[in-house]
Amino acid sequence: MMTGDTRQHPSALVLFSGGQDSTMCLAWALTRYPHVETLGFDYGQRHRIELRCRETLLRKFPEEFPKWRKRLGPDHTINIPALGKISESALTRDVEIEMQENGLPNTFVPGRNLLFFTYAAALGYRRGLHALVGGMCETDYSGYPDCRDETLKMLGKAIAMGTETDFIIETPLMHLTKARTWDLTERLGGMPLVDLIVEDTHSCYLGERGTRHDWGYGCGTCPACDLRAKGFKAWRAKMANSATV
Ligand code: ZN
């Protein structure tokens, strides 16, 4: 995890998609920064449900967590339709999820996180938000190269140099397993935050919200659901163990 200096960075901009990881990042930023704004991207993703989830979450955060109400500033959305047009990803096209010859799943949208942070910096420059927070994680099964710590550290440096501004990229989930992410959820916002994430975030690659599992909604079998379900189970098992010791 990169550590920010909150004395230098009183404000943060969170890349907020409405998924589990970015919702965790929002909670993390709200415990750490006096002023937090959110940014979503509409790039023609196949499942619009993500965008609806983020609206619900942004409404519920200040309602359910009064301690964070004053800290949560405006939400922003940027449309990048070109990204969906130029990429052949399973997240933007109606195709089966599968591994490609290069060893990456076809859910990889090339350049997505690089673009997201660059757009975030352009907005953050104008709004005075110099800590850019994202939920990228190296421990995800996929090993997306634009989620790696080294990639984002270098990107942070490039953005800071290219704008002559003290931007920092923060990735609080970078080295956490999904079980530890659930653990952090509980530490930051207690069971109300766990419940909010279960009920209102969306991670399923297939856009399925018909079935409610103990870990949330989803098809239960796609790689994102699998990861989320396994992490939740491991976290619950650890909680049960520590309760009986
Ligand atoms: Zn799924």
Side-chain angles (χ1 to χ4, degrees):
M1 172 172 38
M2 286 173 251
T3 49
D5 185 337
T6 50
R7 283 168 303 174
Q8 277 187 340
H9 295 88
S11 308
L13 180 61
V14 178
L15 304 191
F16 181 62
S17 70
Q20 176 181 6
D21 291 343
S22 70
T23 304
M24 271 304 303
C25 282
L26 178 56
W28 179 86
L30 286 166
T31 59
R32 194 177 177 95
Y33 293 96
H35 179 79
V36 176
E37 299 187 14
T38 47
L39 171 61
F41 294 96
D42 187 343
Y43 57 96
Q45 49 271 65
R46 265 169 75 192
H47 305 299
R48 315 300 289 172
I49 187 80
E50 251 193 18
L51 299 174
R52 283 208 296 281
C53 282
R54 72 188 297 286
E55 282 170 22
T56 306
L57 288 159
L58 286 173
R59 179 172 50 77
K60 286 194 176 177
F61 252 91
E63 279 172 16
E64 297 188 13
F65 302 95
K67 61 182 177 179
W68 293 334
R69 191 176 297 151
K70 283 203 179 115
R71 295 183 163 209
L72 184 59
D75 177 46
H76 311 270
T77 307
I78 296 177
N79 295 315
I80 323 178
L83 186 58
K85 284 187 187 136
I86 57 180
S87 73
E88 286 284 341
S89 161
L91 295 188
T92 52
R93 300 278 165 96
D94 188 12
V95 292
E96 288 286 309
I97 297 171
E98 56 186 21
M99 288 305 276
Q100 305 174 126
E101 278 176 17
N102 63 3
L104 287 171
N106 63 350
T107 46
F108 177 57
V109 182
R112 179 173 58 166
N113 290 330
L114 309 181
L115 282 172
F116 282 2
F117 274 116
T118 305
Y119 275 105
L123 176 68
Y125 189 93
R126 172 163 67 82
R127 303 278 308 161
L129 311 164
H130 296 171
L132 310 175
V133 185
M136 295 76 192
C137 173
E138 263 187 5
T139 53
D140 276 359
Y141 84 104
S142 51
Y144 293 155
D146 63 342
C147 289
R148 290 181 193 145
D149 199 19
E150 195 182 359
T151 305
L152 296 176
K153 279 195 169 117
M154 291 181 78
L155 179 64
K157 274 188 193 159
I159 287 173
M161 282 181 77
T163 55
E164 284 202 330
T165 304
D166 59 346
F167 277 111
I168 182 170
I169 290 181
E170 298 255 40
T171 52
L173 310 184
M174 181 56 74
H175 302 295
L176 299 187
T177 61
K178 280 284 179 271
R180 286 187 61 204
T181 298
W182 284 107
D183 191 46
L184 180 64
T185 308
E186 207 243 330
R187 279 191 285 130
L188 291 180
M191 285 314 285
L193 186 59
V194 172
D195 292 342
L196 183 74
I197 285 187
V198 166
E199 280 303 321
D200 294 303
T201 65
H202 182 83
S203 312
C204 175
Y205 281 155
L206 303 184
E208 165 69 48
R209 275 188 87 71
T211 310
R212 163 71 154 79
H213 309 266
D214 55 356
W215 45 265
Y217 294 88
C219 72
T221 53
C222 79
C225 283
D226 188 48
L227 205 63
R228 180 166 164 150
K230 280 187 183 146
F232 190 81
K233 201 173 158 196
W235 170 64
R236 288 281 287 268
K238 189 175 147 262
M239 287 230 304
N241 274 342
S242 55
T244 53
V245 172

